[in-house]
């Protein structure tokens, strides 16, 4: 219930405008967001790399409503890529990109998003890295998968994301499970109706395991994106049963969440990629993180009344 309230509030401009100005909220954001600039994000990536983990960097921003904003988001990603190259971080840092940030939701947006994504991915390749296209709410799944399919014609290592909570995902996993296919599997962070998504935690977890099974069986490169101990253990078991070598899959977790578990997996020889978001447009991302864990709300409440 609280999850739905937070995810709905995240879409209301008046709540957003008030929230981003409150200092206690901004302080809490620092736990989940690596900073406002690409330099700050790359400092975080260098710290992560020093501990044997790798990263995927997200220039925050979504639901772009003008062509100019889509172009600005594209330019921000191009600047990020040149800084990654300058700092010699291409081997440890790839990019995560939202189709809605680069224009997908605008009229005629598919072609615009494709053009912008191609520029970004070509620059990423030139710099020695690559891109994963994030997944947004279920109304965008078909468009995002169509975009990725087109992008993969020229850039086959372009990754994308499937969300275990959606009823459609087991069949998407079947379709996208083939050798070389880089698929991040997550539970899904959006406020979805019961007509398209499981709402019960056990059903979501069962779907997650079934989808992961399909990705592994089909020879995909699964990117196991979860902090859930039961799912991490299930993934370790499935990968071991399939005899998967360590370079044929990875675990992914979010910046600031379960860092000790991230390190435990990395120390055990698994690739662990940390999702590092940065930028000023952090509100939607932050609200999804609050919605995922009720205890975060208690922390926020204490901060707002001055005891945090
Ligand atoms: C690398 C990565 C990329 C992602 N990309 C996408 C995407 O493209 N599209 C999409 O819809 N979703 C994405 N997600 C989010 C995902 O869908 C889930 O909403 C999120 O990961 C929480 O689910 P969980 O599997 O960690 O399980 P949960 O059951 O939510 O969490 C398990 C445990 O992890 C810890 N935890 C989880 N979330 C938090 C939090 N916010 N604050 C503090 N502790 C927490 C808690 O200890 C919790 O008990 C991504 C997640 C990761 C890790």
């Amino acid at each position: 219930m609280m999850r739905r309230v937070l995810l709905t509030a995240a879409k209301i401009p008046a709540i957003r405008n008030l929230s981003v100005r409150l200092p206690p909220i901004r302080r809490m954001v620092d736990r989940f967001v690596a900073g406002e600039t690409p330099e700050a994000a790359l400092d975080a990536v260098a710290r992560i790399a020093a501990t044997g983990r790798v990263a995927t960097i997200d220039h925050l921003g979504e639901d772009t409503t003008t062509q100019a904003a889509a172009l600005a988001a594209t330019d921000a990603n191009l600047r990020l890529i040149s800084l990654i190259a300058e700092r010699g971080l291409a081997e440890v840092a790839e990019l995560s990109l939202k189709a809605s940030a680069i224009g997908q939701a605008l009229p005629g947006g598919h072609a615009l998003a494709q053009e912008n994504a191609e520029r970004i991915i070509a620059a990423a390749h030139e710099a020695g890295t690559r891109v994963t296209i994030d997944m947004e709410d279920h109304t965008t799944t078909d468009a995002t998968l169509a975009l990725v399919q087109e992008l993969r014609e020229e850039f086959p290592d372009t990754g994308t994301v499937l969300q275990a909570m959606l009823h459609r995902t087991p069949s998407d996993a079947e379709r996208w499970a083939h050798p070389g296919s880089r698929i991040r599997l997550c539970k899904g962070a959006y406020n979805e109706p019961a007509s398209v998504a499981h709402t019960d935690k056990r059903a979501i977890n069962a779907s997650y395991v079934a989808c992961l099974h399909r990705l592994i069986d089909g020879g995909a490169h699964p990117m196991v994106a979860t902090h859930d101990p039961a799912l991490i253990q299930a993934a370790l078991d499935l990968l071991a049963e399939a005899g998967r070598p360590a370079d044929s899959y990875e675990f992914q977790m979010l910046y600031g969440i379960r860092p000790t578990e991230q390190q435990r997996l990395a120390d055990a020889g698994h690739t662990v990629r940390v999702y590092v978001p940065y930028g000023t447009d952090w509100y939607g991302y932050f609200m999804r993180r609050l919605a995922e864990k009720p205890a975060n709300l208690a922390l926020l409440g204490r901060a707002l009344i001055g005891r945090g």
Side-chain angles (χ1 to χ4, degrees):
M1 172 66 179
M2 187 49 75
R3 180 172 184 273
R4 284 198 186 279
V5 170
L6 282 168
L7 293 174
T8 304
K11 298 277 181 196
I12 300 173
I15 298 182
R16 175 201 167 94
N17 294 342
L18 174 67
S19 307
V20 297
R21 284 200 297 270
L22 291 173
I25 292 192
R26 294 198 63 112
R27 279 196 294 278
M28 206 174 154
V29 167
D30 291 343
R31 174 181 166 194
F32 299 108
V33 175
E36 296 205 337
T37 63
E39 288 81 2
L42 292 177
D43 288 346
V45 168
R47 289 194 297 274
I48 286 165
T51 63
R53 294 168 292 161
V54 292
T56 182
I57 311 177
D58 170 32
H59 171 256
L60 288 166
E62 54 200 86
D63 298 334
T64 291
T65 53
T66 64
Q67 286 212 7
L71 192 59
T74 304
D75 288 344
N77 278 284
L78 294 174
R79 165 138 176 80
L80 171 64
I81 291 165
S82 58
L83 287 174
I84 289 174
E86 235 170 68
R87 289 185 56 170
L89 291 170
E91 275 194 15
V92 293
E94 61 163 56
L95 278 77
S96 282
L97 186 63
K98 284 191 174 49
S100 78
I102 52 169
Q104 172 105 305
L106 299 175
H110 188 77
L112 179 66
Q114 190 182 354
E115 187 187 323
N116 288 336
E118 278 172 1
R119 287 179 62 207
I120 294 166
I121 299 172
H125 273 219
E126 183 79 10
T129 185
R130 61 195 171 195
V131 173
T132 291
I133 309 291
D134 285 354
M135 192 56 77
E136 301 176 68
D137 73 64
H138 81 276
T139 62
T140 67
T141 309
D142 281 327
T144 300
L145 292 179
L147 176 68
V148 173
Q149 193 158 22
E150 285 156 16
L151 294 169
R152 280 190 176 181
E153 284 170 19
E154 192 176 349
F155 307 106
D157 64 357
T158 303
T160 193
V161 182
L162 296 177
Q163 297 155 317
M165 73 187 300
L166 297 185
H167 298 315
R168 61 177 285 164
T169 299
S171 85
D172 286 335
E174 192 85 52
R175 180 176 146 218
W176 289 78
H178 53 81
S181 178
R182 296 173 58 251
I183 299 291
R184 176 191 301 156
L185 182 64
C186 65
K187 288 185 183 178
Y190 293 82
N191 187 15
E192 305 289 13
S195 55
V196 301
H198 300 289
T199 50
D200 170 64
K201 190 178 161 138
R202 270 176 311 182
I204 296 172
N205 281 15
S207 170
Y208 194 105
V209 173
C211 294
L212 184 56
H213 215 295
R214 288 177 195 205
L215 292 173
I216 293 172
D217 279 357
H221 181 98
M223 305 188 273
V224 182
T226 181
H227 316 87
D228 187 327
L231 291 182
I232 292 169
Q233 190 53 53
L236 288 169
D237 293 346
L238 286 175
L239 290 160
E241 267 167 39
R244 279 301 192 97
D247 62 356
S248 72
Y249 63 87
E250 60 192 57
F251 286 90
Q252 295 193 343
M253 296 192 208
L254 301 176
Y255 180 81
I257 301 184
R258 300 203 70 205
T260 310
E261 177 65 359
Q262 294 177 17
Q263 197 59 53
R264 182 187 75 83
L265 288 167
D267 290 347
H270 306 286
T271 298
V272 176
R273 193 175 297 282
V274 184
Y275 187 102
V276 177
Y278 78 95
T280 51
D281 197 358
W282 43 259
Y283 183 70
Y285 179 87
F286 175 66
M287 291 297 272
R288 290 195 290 279
R289 303 295 77 80
L290 282 189
E292 276 156 5
K293 185 156 170 162
N296 288 341
L297 270 186
L299 286 178
L300 180 66
R302 281 206 296 278
L304 284 173
I305 57 174
R307 289 195 280 129

